[in-house]
Amino acid sequence: QSALTQPASVSGSPGQSITITCTGTSSDVGAYNYVSWCQQHPGKAPKLIIYDVSNRPSGVSNRFSGSKSGNTASLTISGLQAEDEADYYCSSFTISSTLVFGGGTKLTVL
Amino acid sequence: EVQLVQSGTEVKKPGESLKISCKGSAYSFTSYWIGWVRQMPGKGLELMGIIYPGDSDTRYSPSFQGQVTISADRSITTAYLQWSSLKASDTAMYYCARGTSLARYFDYWGQGTLVTVSS
């Protein structure tokens, strides 16, 4: 199972919005509405921020939103803040009943 | 509060065996999957495999099948990841995470266990 494709890096200024894409295939992203996103700060464990394409766990800021179209899922962060600087990973459930991760995207807040 | 607490940093030599642990608390340990995720230095996340402690159903990602063993002890709400013969390429941070509904996503993560394999 190949990793999902994410841009290696994105950047934005405080207050702006950015979008990170996650491209898969009809066997994973396109198969189900089971895409999730996690945030990882340097030296820390990942933290779930979006599940089932667009749902936020309790306590996650509503500045984070998710969507999906076909084989591509997206994470949008609005009102960018310095604390949002981190690595972001998408993941998707697959038709093989396993989970595949994206390669990760480093977000830099300028 | 749901917690997954992992065992501490390990430094081992090639060829040695190792078993690291992940203790779950404040939830029904037998009702959720536990996944093990590898993160090699400077790299991304890779799912190694998952286990359902309720019935010990264990599934491995193809790249890790035969390379590691995942197990769980319901009586002490602890999952394990073990190697019989470590290689330098096993040097990585290893995370356990709680998965829902066949681990279609992981909602809680352990703090990670750093494993260094060096002669």
Side-chain angles (χ1 to χ4, degrees):
Chain A
Q1 187 72 46
S2 300
L4 307 175
T5 301
Q6 298 181 231
S9 63
V10 298
S11 63
S13 300
Q16 287 186 330
S17 293
I18 64 95
T19 295
I20 299 171
T21 57
C22 170
T23 301
T25 69
S26 57
S27 296
D28 38 63
V29 175
Y32 309 108
N33 287 326
Y34 293 153
V35 175
S36 59
W37 293 86
C38 61
Q39 175 193 61
Q40 186 180 33
H41 286 108
K44 300 294 187 183
K47 172 190 172 186
L48 179 71
I49 56 173
I50 294 287
Y51 66 96
D52 293 351
V53 175
S54 60
N55 293 297
R56 280 187 308 276
S58 174
V60 173
S61 171
N62 59 10
R63 297 186 299 105
F64 294 92
S65 61
S67 62
K68 192 191 87 166
S69 178
N71 297 334
T72 298
S74 300
L75 171 72
T76 298
I77 309 174
S78 59
L80 210 55
Q81 298 179 1
E83 68 205 48
D84 299 331
E85 187 162 291
D87 294 327
Y88 291 84
Y89 293 91
C90 65
S91 60
S92 176
F93 196 62
T94 77
I95 61 171
S96 302
S97 296
T98 187
L99 191 74
V100 62
F101 286 100
T105 298
K106 180 177 179 60
L107 169 62
T108 300
V109 180
L110 302 170
Chain B
E1 177 195 1
V2 172
Q3 281 196 310
L4 296 172
V5 179
Q6 299 185 228
S7 49
T9 297
E10 300 277 359
V11 179
K12 306 292 274 186
K13 289 181 166 42
E16 292 185 331
S17 62
L18 176 65
K19 191 173 189 177
I20 62 175
S21 66
C22 168
K23 182 171 176 61
S25 62
Y27 75 97
S28 176
F29 186 72
T30 54
S31 300
Y32 291 82
W33 292 81
I34 290 285
W36 285 97
V37 176
R38 182 176 78 176
Q39 187 168 39
M40 299 179 78
K43 301 298 184 182
L45 306 174
E46 301 172 90
L47 180 65
M48 302 175 72
I50 56 174
I51 186 166
Y52 190 73
D55 61 7
S56 296
D57 183 4
T58 307
R59 305 176 188 201
Y60 296 92
S61 296
S63 300
F64 296 94
Q65 179 80 47
Q67 307 304 307
V68 295
T69 301
I70 294 171
S71 60
D73 186 336
R74 292 191 295 267
S75 67
I76 55 172
T77 65
T78 300
Y80 301 96
L81 175 66
Q82 68 180 83
W83 296 259
S84 59
S85 180
L86 287 160
K87 302 185 282 287
S89 57
D90 293 317
T91 294
M93 180 70 82
Y94 293 88
Y95 294 100
C96 66
R98 190 182 82 161
T100 64
S101 301
L102 256 184
R104 70 174 194 262
Y105 63 87
F106 294 117
D107 58 357
Y108 288 91
W109 293 69
Q111 83 277 22
T113 295
L114 179 62
V115 174
T116 301
V117 183
S118 174
S119 55

